[in-house]
Amino acid sequence: MFTLSEENYLKAIYHLELDTVKGVSTNAIAKKLETKASSVSDMIKKLSEKDVVVYKKYKGVTLTVFGKKIAASIVRKHRLWEVFLVEKLNFSWDEVHDVAEQLEHIKSPKLVNQLDIFLGFPSHDPHGDPIPDKDGDLKTIEKSLLSTLEKNETGVCVGVNDSSSEFLKFLDKKEITLGKQIRVLEKEDFDDSLSIQIDGKKLSISNKIANNLYVQKS
Amino acid sequence: MFTLSEENYLKAIYHLELDTVKGVSTNAIAKKLETKASSVSDMIKKLSEKDVVVYKKYKGVTLTVFGKKIAASIVRKHRLWEVFLVEKLNFSWDEVHDVAEQLEHIKSPKLVNQLDIFLGFPSHDPHGDPIPDKDGDLKTIEKSLLSTLEKNETGVCVGVNDSSSEFLKFLDKKEITLGKQIRVLEKEDFDDSLSIQIDGKKLSISNKIANNLYVQKS
DNA sequence: ATATATTTTTAGACAAGACTAAAAATATTA
DNA sequence: TAATATTTTTAGTCTTGTCTAAAAATATAT
Ligand SMILES: [Mn+2]
Ligand SMILES: [Mn+2]
Ligand SMILES: [Mn+2]
Ligand SMILES: [Mn+2]
């Protein structure tokens, strides 16, 4: 059994491993968890005692197969709960994350299974992120940042890179929601801003936005 | 804000106060929480610092109005989650308690409200216990132990006194569920056992069972 | 009323998890 | 390669919540 704190470390390492080739650095973990590197050092020792990470002093850390399973199960719970909150309890997609951070630590295999059934086996959470299956595997769809699309290319909104409440609310205001089709009308070299077509309307989009929105090219 | 531990102490005191006239004793709390009296002593000091209990050395402890509100909100969450698990996720009534013990500590006012709405504002949990309203008030119905019914009296099953998994499973086996009508056919002086009629069938019930089943006289 | 039993509190210790400051290792730059 | 900068670990401290053992207060029985 893992403590709340251990689970949060495992999840952080899991997410960091997704975009690092080498082991995850102490500093990266500290930054993600808003804690101090010394605290991370301490915890890593405990986690490697429990055989969920491989740890070599000064060399960063890697999840073991077992550790990855644990981490994926927490991510699975997080995302299932987010779906529940949006689909069943009328939360909007910018309100769910903090509650899911709490709910992901509830320990009950039956609860997770039944929730999965109740929600109709969702494959993605409200932010377009894939939900790991029971074995911790996730099927990744190929998605591209909107900023990588060329002029006249089109794609369907499938996810966000930044899922902060601020960004999500901004998208709501602009009526950019997952599932909608976007066509790039113009790319400005000057500031890398985009002119896009969505819902038949023309919209101007800064580079910062285009860098945080995923589309599936179509 | 209160820690997990503090919340559990408040809830324990809340429950113990319901069947004690005087202050709740250190020992009673220790027994309920399966901890040591010395630990209770320590925690009580912290709780009285936070103005949720009134504490006089050696004199037992009482919840303040504020403390009772906190405790009731936890009980409210516990019971709402139990309803959710039974009504929506196909848990049986003997499986929900441990999961609800975890879920009751999730902090999100919106979650509780929306859950309440989603469940249709239930007034009682799967064990027949009343769900405190937003202000922490609960409307108690008058219920009596089955063992207090006289020969030929009838009542409707409305709750259990013992909500252990063992007892609940036993009731399931005998097909005694909340809402069913029971008539006392015979009372044995010898061992205080009962002969009852339920679902048109005759059933023999030990005193231990009759002492743990609540009915509303009809 | 005094002796005995029970309950409650205090004193002191420990584990988990975090922090600061300083030392050690590694990386970068000249 | 040597000097400097950065990262990581260690050492020592703190808080929370728990425990055991012993002291103090209260309750019960003779
Ligand atoms: Mn999230
Ligand atoms: Mn998400
Ligand atoms: Mn319960
Ligand atoms: Mn209940």
Side-chain angles (χ1 to χ4, degrees), chain A residues 26-27 41 45 55 57-58:
Chain A
T26 303
N27 248 11
S41 253
K45 275 175 219 151
Y55 167 60
K57 272 189 197 174
Y58 295 98

Side-chain angles (χ1 to χ4, degrees), chain B residues 174-187:
Chain B
K174 297 288 182 187
E175 297 186 331
I176 300 171
T177 56
L178 300 194
K180 283 193 180 171
Q181 191 163 51
I182 290 177
R183 171 184 293 276
V184 176
L185 300 174
E186 208 71 58
K187 296 188 79 165

Side-chain angles (χ1 to χ4, degrees), chain B residues 78-79 82 96-97 125-129 163:
Chain B
H78 182 103
R79 294 183 176 162
E82 286 191 342
V96 295
H97 184 75
D125 83 359
H127 313 104
D129 294 314
S163 55

Side-chain angles (χ1 to χ4, degrees), chain B residues 21-76:
Chain B
V21 197
K22 328 206 59 179
V24 178
S25 77
T26 304
N27 248 11
I29 299 169
K31 184 181 264 181
K32 175 145 256 187
L33 293 178
E34 295 179 277
T35 183
K36 296 295 149 79
S38 55
S39 305
V40 175
S41 252
D42 288 345
M43 180 56 91
I44 283 175
K45 275 174 220 152
K46 290 171 201 156
L47 292 176
S48 78
E49 286 287 304
K50 290 191 164 194
D51 293 316
V52 283
V53 301
V54 172
Y55 167 59
K56 277 227 187 108
K57 272 188 195 173
Y58 295 98
K59 291 297 176 197
V61 78
T62 327
L63 290 174
T64 62
V65 172
F66 177 46
K68 191 176 262 171
K69 215 152 214 158
I70 306 283
S73 92
I74 300 164
V75 171
R76 173 173 161 78

